[in-house]
Amino acid sequence: MAGGSQITQGDTETRYEVFHTDCAARDVVDHITSRWGIWVLISLQSNDLRFFELRESIQGISEKMLAQSLRSLVQDGLIWRKVEPTTPPQVTYGLTEFGRDVGEPLGELFDRITQRLGSRP
């Protein structure tokens, strides 16, 4: 594994060496598990949302941090971005197929945690 960024197993499956600092998958995981990335993915699970709707759905996030999180997740291919040429521009975000694949287990994890916390004495 010279360079260490990818190893191939079989003819069809590519795995990444996630413990190597140059691993592309590691960057995506960092963006997903950032302070706000996971909340953006969970917020977009049920509907496509405009920027201001996302900001209102995620309490405590600043416009700057939301914009940075969205930019990273769009670059990673987890979220799509659509700009309508109006004044001011209307920007809508939604999950790509990859984003749905990643977001679904995150939503399930969140559901399990909230169910468990709700059953505490």
Side-chain angles (χ1 to χ4, degrees):
M1 275 183 268
S5 49
Q6 291 185 1
I7 58 173
T8 302
Q9 295 181 347
D11 294 331
T12 59
E13 187 178 327
T14 301
R15 285 194 52 127
Y16 291 88
E17 187 62 49
V18 295
F19 295 107
H20 193 282
T21 57
D22 293 337
C23 179
R26 188 173 177 166
D27 290 338
V28 174
V29 170
D30 285 345
H31 296 151
I32 292 166
T33 60
S34 68
R35 180 170 182 189
W36 301 109
I38 193 168
W39 302 118
V40 170
L41 290 173
I42 290 172
S43 293
L44 289 171
Q45 277 190 326
S46 55
N47 293 324
D48 302 339
L49 297 171
R50 292 181 45 202
F51 184 88
F52 79 91
E53 293 170 321
L54 267 170
R55 190 184 68 228
E56 289 177 2
S57 73
I58 306 170
Q59 293 186 5
I61 192 169
S62 68
E63 285 189 24
K64 177 183 175 182
M65 291 310 301
L66 178 57
Q68 287 178 358
S69 297
L70 288 167
R71 191 175 309 116
S72 296
L73 295 169
V74 167
Q75 288 175 341
D76 293 337
L78 294 160
I79 294 175
W80 55 261
R81 178 180 188 265
K82 179 182 176 189
V83 180
E84 306 232 2
T86 59
T87 304
Q90 294 181 358
V91 184
T92 305
Y93 296 89
L95 294 178
T96 63
E97 183 178 340
F98 180 33
R100 284 189 299 276
D101 287 346
V102 170
E104 186 177 323
L106 294 175
E108 290 172 7
L109 174 65
F110 180 72
D111 289 344
R112 287 183 193 153
I113 291 168
T114 55
Q115 286 172 2
R116 183 65 66 132
L117 292 175
S119 65
R120 282 187 174 177

